[in-house]
Amino acid sequence: MDVRLKNIGKKYEGREEFTIRHINLDIHSQEFCAILGPSGCGKSTLLRMIAGLNSITEGELVFGDKLMNKVAAKDRDIAMVFQSYALYPHMTVYDNMAFSLKMRKESKEVIHQRVLEAAKLLQIEEYLYSRPSDISGGQRQRVALGRAMVRKPSVFLMDEPLSNLDAKLREHMRVELVRLHKRLGTTTIYVTHDQTEAMTMADQIVLLNKGIIQQAGAPSELYHRPANVFVAGFIGTPAMNLIPGKIVQGQYISDNQLIKLHPSPDDAQKLKAHEGEEVLLGVRGERLSQGLAEANNFQLTVDVVEMLGKEQILYCELADHTELVVSAPGHLEFKSGQNYDFHIQSDALHFFNKASGERIN
């Protein structure tokens, strides 16, 4: 089912400011959409508005071709999975999964069939007659997913469902959720503060900050063409390097005069309109390459080396102690305190207006 948000806003009673405003978003049928952002940005509030748990102050929420603003949560044909598993401790796994169907007075045959189908898909068949306290956190999360699945909703809503799991299990469950989504094909809206979850799982990422959408698009789009400085700094590990400077005769010159770069022909054409303006140069850590090239060279002093196996993160400084972060292949050798030559390919440069933070190339 398609989900469309048209100029959605939320203001709580007694407050002057809107918590969320001007949310315009199309989530297509069978799409996995991740709502991403820092704590307090409004992502869970937005999800609760879609679920019908929070009222909508302004705008329209449409499921398919039906306006949902005044439709009760129980009538929205959704299923929600929370951060806490919210399982009934006195019930077996089977009864937890069957509970919503029993409340809807489905037949015993339908209930049994759907519970077994979900349990098989989630690989928890052997735990159906165990209680939540007797199974692991990962298994409890599968039960919570199964309880949502048996309802066969038109839309899944998930509010940070993996945040209570340890790192290894979280990684495993990410893969399982993607597989599950592909098999079920149900429109899924997934709230997370973890960019790794969003980047690896979603068809579309919606990045929020202070209740406003900063950018919405495919993960690759947010990574390779961030719309503004906030997106550039939030998406990617390590975060994008941002270096203040100016456009002078079509060339970028950093404020400290230590980096002088020639943009690509396409970028140079776009930057003509910004001659003399203060800008921020953005460059991903993996696009800083060791060694000298024909152009765009500079020297860095390596301060700290973080070895991660296949890659290493280098925390470096320019001569004036401006910090830059480099992501280098793990097989190369770098030593703290030593100087190394680096260069940047001209097609790896991102430029942002320094005052507004908006992308200009």
Side-chain angles (χ1 to χ4, degrees):
M1 180 184 291
D2 291 342
V3 177
R4 297 194 305 279
L5 289 76
K6 302 178 181 179
N7 206 35
I8 289 287
K10 175 65 180 177
K11 183 167 72 170
Y12 288 99
E13 189 174 346
R15 295 187 185 178
E16 293 184 8
E17 299 292 326
F18 275 77
T19 302
I20 289 175
R21 199 158 203 192
H22 306 310
I23 301 294
N24 289 285
L25 180 64
D26 288 338
I27 302 168
H28 300 296
S29 179
Q30 301 187 2
E31 187 173 68
F32 194 119
C33 176
I35 301 175
L36 175 66
S39 297
C41 71
K43 53 189 183 295
S44 289
T45 299
L46 182 58
L47 193 76
R48 291 174 64 84
M49 292 165 74
I50 296 170
L53 302 177
N54 283 0
S55 61
I56 296 171
T57 306
E58 64 181 18
E60 295 182 350
L61 172 67
V62 179
F63 284 9
D65 57 2
K66 183 178 180 182
L67 183 64
M68 305 301 289
N69 290 45
K70 302 298 183 183
V71 176
K74 65 182 179 64
D75 298 322
R76 293 195 179 192
D77 195 17
I78 59 167
M80 197 159 181
V81 180
F82 297 94
Q83 179 178 350
S84 60
Y85 313 125
L87 302 177
Y88 295 108
H90 63 287
M91 292 185 183
T92 63
V93 166
Y94 184 102
D95 289 335
N96 267 283
M97 292 173 66
F99 185 77
S100 64
L101 297 179
K102 290 178 179 177
M103 292 297 98
R104 295 163 78 175
K105 301 193 181 330
E106 296 282 2
S107 69
K108 288 184 177 180
E109 291 77 14
V110 168
I111 293 172
H112 189 67
Q113 179 186 351
R114 289 195 185 177
V115 169
L116 289 185
E117 283 177 355
K120 184 176 181 180
L121 196 59
L122 293 165
Q123 299 178 0
I124 53 173
E125 295 165 284
E126 62 183 288
Y127 307 111
L128 281 175
Y129 299 101
S130 302
R131 296 187 188 277
S133 59
D134 297 327
I135 59 179
S136 69
Q139 290 157 354
R140 287 197 289 271
Q141 190 55 273
R142 289 170 188 263
V143 176
L145 288 168
R147 181 180 54 193
M149 285 169 53
V150 296
R151 296 178 57 185
K152 296 192 174 179
S154 296
V155 181
F156 278 129
L157 304 178
M158 300 188 183
D159 193 357
E160 306 210 41
L162 307 184
S163 59
N164 286 340
L165 305 179
D166 63 57
K168 190 70 177 175
L169 187 54
R170 204 158 56 234
E171 182 180 335
H172 175 72
M173 285 300 295
R174 285 202 309 264
V175 176
E176 291 301 312
L177 274 175
V178 171
R179 286 177 177 155
L180 186 63
H181 176 256
K182 287 180 177 178
R183 288 174 189 164
L184 297 177
T186 307
T187 305
T188 301
I189 305 173
Y190 185 103
V191 160
T192 180
H193 66 275
D194 185 334
Q195 61 156 302
T196 302
E197 285 186 11
M199 292 290 287
T200 55
M201 298 169 68
D203 301 308
Q204 177 181 199
I205 295 176
V206 180
L207 182 55
L208 285 182
N209 187 39
K210 297 179 180 177
I212 303 292
I213 293 179
Q214 302 298 309
Q215 189 172 357
S220 60
E221 184 181 340
L222 272 69
Y223 188 81
H224 294 296
R225 288 194 61 81
N228 55 43
V229 168
F230 177 80
V231 180
F234 196 89
I235 298 291
T237 304
M240 180 181 284
N241 295 291
L242 294 167
I243 311 163
K246 278 187 177 181
I247 303 301
V248 181
Q249 296 181 348
Q251 186 181 18
Y252 166 82
I253 302 177
S254 62
D255 285 350
N256 56 21
Q257 304 287 310
L258 295 172
I259 299 180
K260 299 179 181 180
L261 303 175
H262 295 279
S264 68
D266 285 347
D267 284 343
Q269 190 66 31
K270 295 172 186 174
L271 292 171
K272 282 182 179 179
H274 302 278
E275 179 69 25
E277 288 184 11
E278 293 188 340
V279 299
L280 289 172
L281 165 72
V283 60
R284 295 283 181 198
E286 68 271 19
R287 300 305 298 272
L288 280 77
S289 303
Q290 187 189 6
L292 295 171
E294 292 182 6
N296 298 349
N297 300 303
F298 51 92
Q299 193 171 80
L300 293 175
T301 302
V302 174
D303 185 23
V304 176
V305 178
E306 282 186 352
M307 173 53 71
L308 302 177
K310 69 176 181 178
E311 69 171 339
Q312 51 190 320
I313 308 300
L314 312 177
Y315 295 88
C316 307
E317 292 183 347
L318 289 161
D320 70 338
H321 303 296
T322 297
E323 295 183 357
L324 290 178
V325 182
V326 178
S327 177
H331 67 273
L332 299 178
E333 186 176 346
F334 294 93
K335 293 183 179 179
S336 297
Q338 296 220 359
N339 297 331
Y340 296 89
D341 291 315
F342 285 88
H343 65 273
I344 308 174
Q345 296 295 332
S346 60
D347 64 353
L349 309 180
H350 305 261
F351 293 100
F352 305 93
N353 181 283
K354 188 175 180 180
S356 69
E358 295 299 309
R359 185 184 189 89
I360 60 176
N361 70 318

